[in-house]
Amino acid sequence: MRPRARRVALTVGTAVLLLAVAGAAAVGVHYSNSILKPGGPPTLREQRVLEVAPDRVRLSRDAESLEAGTWALEWEDGFGWVGPVLESDSASVLRSFRGVRGRLAAGGWASLRGVPRAADPLSMLGLRYETVTVEGPLGSCPAWLVPGEDSTWVIYVHGRGATRAEALRSLSVLATRGLPGLLVTYRNDQGAPRSRDGFDHLGLSEWEDVEAAVRYALAHGARDLVLVGCSMGGQVVGQFLERSALAPRVRGVVLESPLLDWDATLALRARILGVPAAATWLGERVATLRAGIDWDRLDLVAHPPGGAAPILLFHSRRDTWAPVSSSEAFARRLGARVTLVTLDTGNHVNAWNTEPERYARVVHAWCTAHGIGRAAR
């Protein structure tokens, strides 16, 4: 090859290599953003409201509007509850309906979900509560305190992208046992402090805010605690159990659809969304560089939390966000310490919605077996 040709080939090769590196970096940053950056609230435009009557509503037909069970229907200025499917055709689904707040109008949009983001203990359950402030390492985090007569308090930890309202379903069962409840917020939640780098740390730092909530409970009369974690809240609870000096004060744990292994969770989401495995791998590596994410520490299956507190775990086999295989492996690893309840209904954190009677029955039986709270009212 002539010198000039060699120079041209070298220049072209270098340019291609630089473009490839730049492209990989862009892909890595993009996917690391989806891992690290707190998401905004979901849209309220999933289902079209076709017809409204005092006790029923007709919605556009999709998998969610056809799902059996009890579901929240939320719109811009209100929410209510839909029950059994009464009829359906190729374009619509008619369901029973009970409005709670605001007026639902035909022709608008709404969203079916497990629990209304706008709900609170009073509007959803008729339970009085007060908003209190928990002082965490980054500042003040608001929480809802629902009083009870027992000296065992329940700390409810919601998942990523959700609000403390997510825990109202579990509260509806545990409050009947006289257990006070503290429904917490943590860094990057609305009304709570931002993390120093602006990123979610997937449980690796959020557990410190739960520790602050535990301190609050112990300072206000709690003798011991039950921790409830949904979705990423399960990872946060696991990190607390592994890393906090206050973990021995926990006498029981309830998890639903927990993200026990973030690597497995992201792999599942990649398969469902059609994202190449290489892009996910690259996003994880960039997330480590940007936020110090330790993926090995986020694997609670390989490194389960210590202690002896019994764990009740609900997980749907249809979950498209947290792989049920992680919960099954976790249960095998911890043996009799874990009571695993798998469901063939619902998706992610939907046990109460699709099988409310079974959910309540299992929770009460588990609490009774471990001496938690009084017999349900």
Side-chain angles (χ1 to χ4, degrees), residues 227 250-254 307-312 336-339 366 370 372:
L227 301 183
V250 176
R251 65 179 302 184
V253 178
V254 180
I311 300 169
L312 174 61
R337 185 180 167 192
V338 176
T339 300
W366 180 83
H370 296 288
I372 296 171

Side-chain angles (χ1 to χ4, degrees), residues 8 42 132 171 183 185 211 294 363 368:
V8 170
V132 300
L171 175 71
L183 288 72
T185 59
E211 183 180 62
D294 183 341
V363 170
T368 298

Side-chain angles (χ1 to χ4, degrees), residues 132-263:
V132 300
T133 299
V134 173
E135 294 300 331
L138 297 184
S140 300
C141 296
W144 290 332
L145 174 59
V146 179
E149 300 83 14
D150 204 278
S151 59
T152 296
W153 284 37
V154 184
I155 308 292
Y156 298 88
V157 187
H158 64 78
R160 188 183 190 205
T163 69
R164 53 191 149 167
E166 182 175 56
L168 292 172
R169 293 166 290 185
S170 301
L171 175 71
S172 71
V173 178
L174 291 169
T176 66
R177 302 187 69 87
L179 300 167
L182 193 63
L183 288 72
V184 304
T185 59
Y186 49 81
R187 59 196 66 190
N188 296 322
D189 280 346
Q190 184 176 1
R194 302 286 290 176
S195 58
R196 293 184 177 93
D197 56 12
F199 295 141
D200 285 343
H201 286 239
L202 313 182
L204 291 173
S205 61
E206 292 81 0
W207 72 269
E208 297 175 353
D209 300 324
V210 172
E211 183 180 62
V214 168
R215 287 199 188 95
Y216 178 96
L218 294 173
H220 288 79
R223 180 190 65 218
D224 49 32
L225 305 119
V226 171
L227 301 183
V228 175
C230 297
S231 190
M232 192 184 92
Q235 176 70 228
V236 175
V237 166
Q239 294 295 327
F240 169 87
L241 292 173
E242 181 62 21
R243 302 168 71 172
S244 174
L246 296 175
R249 304 298 292 271
V250 176
R251 65 179 302 184
V253 178
V254 180
L255 304 176
E256 184 172 355
S257 305
L259 303 188
L260 296 171
D261 178 357
W262 263 103
D263 189 62

Side-chain angles (χ1 to χ4, degrees), residues 258-307:
L259 303 188
L260 296 171
D261 178 357
W262 263 103
D263 189 62
T265 295
L266 294 175
L268 172 64
R269 294 303 298 162
R271 289 195 299 272
I272 290 172
L273 298 174
V275 175
T280 302
W281 181 89
L282 189 58
E284 291 182 12
R285 305 289 81 75
V286 175
T288 297
L289 293 173
R290 298 175 74 189
I293 300 299
D294 183 341
W295 298 100
D296 187 57
R297 196 156 201 172
L298 288 170
D299 184 355
L300 296 178
V301 177
H303 309 288

Side-chain angles (χ1 to χ4, degrees), residues 8-26:
V8 170
L10 180 61
T11 300
V12 171
T14 301
V16 170
L17 178 61
L18 290 174
L19 286 172
V21 171

Side-chain angles (χ1 to χ4, degrees), residues 49 51-59 64-75 79-88 92-100 104 112 353:
V49 182
E51 176 188 336
V52 181
D55 61 350
R56 59 192 61 195
V57 61
R58 187 178 296 276
L59 302 170
E64 290 182 332
S65 60
L66 281 169
E67 182 77 67
T70 300
W71 301 90
L73 184 68
E74 190 164 15
W75 57 97
F79 68 88
W81 293 95
V82 299
V85 173
L86 303 176
E87 64 179 47
S88 64
S92 69
V93 179
L94 183 69
R95 303 188 69 141
S96 65
F97 173 70
R98 176 176 62 86
V100 176
L104 179 63
L112 284 165
N353 298 96

